[in-house]
Amino acid sequence: MDEVDERVLQALKANSRISNTELAEQVGLSVSSCWRRVRALEDRGIIAGYTVALDDAGMGLGFQAIVHVQLRRHATDEFTPFVRAMQAQEEIRSVYATTGQADYHLHVVCADIDAYNQFLEGFLFRMPAVASAQTNLILRVVK
């Protein structure tokens, strides 16, 4: 990676829908050279994919929380279904396995507190692997 690759990545982070022509102009490359650099970054796995940033509030999802989950034990028979369920659950935007008191930290997005209670009672607390969960409400997103 060099300085030009960094400029390409910064531009794509700001707008992944930018055309190759605009990107090339923005980072000071020819169109073909820019295309080759982007392709090389994709081939090396540095660009893992492209995504859409969603406006949760605009979609009626005004409740966000970070949920700290402790597991009962880390046996494969409980652990594997837990991980699969976390990956499949729509309300969970991100899952982080961590060190410290909690085993996992979940970023959860719901319509409101009632929907969050349904998520807890109807899903999370029904998982056999879950020993406990502590919720921290997100008051505002800073970054």
Side-chain angles (χ1 to χ4, degrees), residues 14 24 31-32 43 60 66 70 84 88 129 136 139:
V31 172
S32 59
D43 290 344
I66 302 296
Q70 283 187 302
R84 285 194 183 123
N136 290 90
L139 299 176

Side-chain angles (χ1 to χ4, degrees), residues 1-134:
M1 293 245 325
D2 62 13
E3 183 180 314
V4 176
D5 288 336
E6 290 287 341
R7 289 197 314 261
V8 167
L9 293 174
Q10 290 304 316
L12 288 172
K13 280 174 42 179
N15 179 8
S16 66
R17 291 183 53 133
I18 191 171
S19 71
N20 187 60
T21 303
E22 291 174 283
L23 179 60
E25 185 177 311
Q26 191 172 336
V27 300
L29 292 172
S30 70
V31 172
S32 59
S33 178
C34 183
W35 183 86
R36 282 190 300 273
R37 282 199 181 243
V38 171
R39 175 64 71 190
L41 290 167
E42 291 170 346
D43 290 344
R44 291 171 46 204
I46 293 170
I47 296 175
Y50 299 88
T51 187
V52 174
L54 302 175
D55 176 5
D56 291 324
M59 295 177 9
L61 302 172
F63 180 93
Q64 294 190 58
I66 302 296
V67 184
H68 312 279
V69 177
Q70 283 187 302
L71 300 182
R72 293 185 195 286
R73 57 193 186 102
H74 292 270
T76 304
D77 64 323
E78 287 185 7
F79 170 77
T80 301
F82 170 81
V83 170
R84 285 194 183 123
M86 296 302 108
Q87 292 169 331
Q89 193 65 26
E90 187 175 319
E91 293 92 344
I92 301 173
R93 290 290 167 84
S94 304
V95 179
Y96 303 95
T98 61
T99 61
Q101 188 173 3
D103 297 304
Y104 287 87
H105 296 263
L106 317 177
H107 175 205
V108 177
V109 178
C110 298
D112 53 29
I113 191 73
D114 291 333
Y116 181 66
N117 272 326
Q118 179 58 40
F119 166 80
L120 288 177
E121 294 171 7
F123 171 72
L124 191 63
F125 292 150
R126 292 179 185 252
M127 298 292 307
V130 173
S132 67
Q134 178 184 4

